[in-house]
Amino acid sequence: MLNIRIQRLPPQLVSQIAAGEVVERPASVVKELLENSLDAGATRITVEVEQGGVRLIRVRDNGSGISPDELALALARHATSKIASFDDLQHLASLGFRGEALPSIASVSRLTLTSRTAGSETGWRVSGDGGEAMEEPTPAPHPLGSTVEVRDLFYNVPARRKFLRSERTELGHIEDNLRRLALSRFAVGFSLWHHQKPVLNVEPAATQEDWAQRVAELCNREFIAASVFFDRSERGLRLWGWLGLPAVSRAQADLQYFFVNGRPVRDRVIAHALRQAYQDILYQDRQPAAVLYLELDPAMVDVNAHPAKHEVRFREAPAIHDFIRRTVQAALAEVRPGTAPPPAPQASEQLWSGGKFGGSSAATRSPSPGHVGERMAAYGQLHVSPVSEPVIANAPAETLAEAPPLGYALGQLHGVYVVAENEVGLVVVDMHAAHERILYERLKTALIAGAIQTQTLLTPVTLTVSPQEQRQVEEHGALFAKAGLELTLLGPDTVAVRQIPALLAGSNIVGLVRDMLADLAAHETSDRTETAILALLASLACHEAVRAHRPLNLLEMNTLLRDMEHTDRSGQCNHGRPTWIQLTLDELDRLFRRGR
């Protein structure tokens, strides 16, 4: 064994090790400097970069600035103005707090900091080039605020420089970081320049309409056009933002932006809750698009879980997960045909009922589910419409201005689609998909009203568990009971399942329990039982829904339209496919070249 003596590391090496945690690439530098500017109260921030940030990064702001006697201290390790005690660390309201960013950046670059505070006649400048010695501040002309100039990043750590990607790739990472911070602070204007050419510029946004405009610029206009805004609070928690409809779902989770108390984060709890909230309306493996802002007591979240502050840790993760899932589900449930039609489809895969709908808060009125198991002779013979107004078989043009959102049926197309006329133009409905959603929502309502019916097993099902899984069973007994499962520990490594939900009789109970234990280990919560039951209800609704090529009369078609208008999530079937589309008169005129 080698005889290695313990020795104190030189300060420069300590700073470079810290830089390895904080400064991964040019985008990391930009992120840290932007956070400092925001914490300083800046309302306008300009970022200039050259060679993807390797040759130059310059961040200018109009914040409060740094006094000349504190400039050198700003480049010292563990020096910060943002916390002074452990209690401050427990209630963080600032983005930065560690006091490591500037000295870490200075240890791997040639850094110059120039700043001026209110009341000062001139600004002051201090420089560092990675060495231990720090120059004394010198006067320098500068407006109110600060400018940090970082040149030749990693010039003294060539091994790190070799790991950087192309100029275009590094610039893309800088753009992404700036985009996230611009989404987190609507009142601040941001601009990005590369080689003295504008890349991105957003003006301060004061109203909700301006916020939506910024989201459209930073995400894309298609997203904001096919999304719904919501804002809900509950027991000290607030969640608000924009939820994309299935029209703008993605193959990857690349249009999901999460913010916790104004801090951009990448969080598994929020991502998992969001995915579960969308499970009823997304097609196959599509990912939801969303911009979400979570606000809560700072004491309930630990932002010190990652050196680069990308991740947070919630002190009551299951409660946060449940709040986000329920809130998003409720907001999506209110998206129904309403005050504005969806946009016309642009491509075959975008035939969705998107658009800005009026968020009706009326609860779905569910009739008795007694007919659900019967085969239909026709739609109107199976269900009585929950709508009290009379069904109009056809309507003159002068009454269309007062017509319901989906209008009145004109007829059936090839026994598959219902064609209707509303004030805006033409509505086409996939009758099987629409009826499938209606039945599914009624079954879910009936299930909730009657709670989960359970069945005691004559012969308990046993499974072998690990010590960690045993602890999960002990700690989360209430959650298993709520899901209709009764689990008993028979020994140090054996669990017996004595009771299951009646609807899951004959299912793979061992696999279900193992999946729930895996969820609990990863997210401290699980809805596997609920998901399995809903899958059965969705299958039942699919089989019982009116089939293609079944003739419907106008009364039955209009009953279907009215039911859609009063059903949660009626824009998609249980598999995430669209149930209806809208073609406006203008779009029809363009198709037929009218007026040209």
Side-chain angles (χ1 to χ4, degrees), residues 147-175:
T147 297
V148 180
E149 189 173 277
V150 178
R151 291 186 178 274
D152 302 324
L153 186 63
F154 299 136
Y155 81 97
N156 55 353
V157 193
R160 293 291 304 278
R161 201 162 188 167
K162 291 179 181 178
F163 283 94
L164 296 180
R165 307 297 293 273
S166 68
E167 180 177 313
R168 183 182 184 89
T169 299
E170 296 300 337
L171 178 63
H173 286 291
I174 291 173
E175 278 190 78

Side-chain angles (χ1 to χ4, degrees), residues 15 108 170 248 385 426 439 449 533 574 591:
S15 294
V108 292
E170 296 300 337
V248 288
S385 171
L426 186 71
L439 291 181
I533 291 175
N574 312 339
L591 287 173

Side-chain angles (χ1 to χ4, degrees), residues 441-463:
E441 292 299 327
R442 290 177 179 173
L443 286 168
K444 288 198 298 183
T445 301
L447 177 68
I448 294 171
I452 296 179
Q453 301 298 316
T454 59
Q455 173 181 318
T456 301
L457 299 177
L458 295 177
T459 304
V461 175
T462 61
L463 64 153

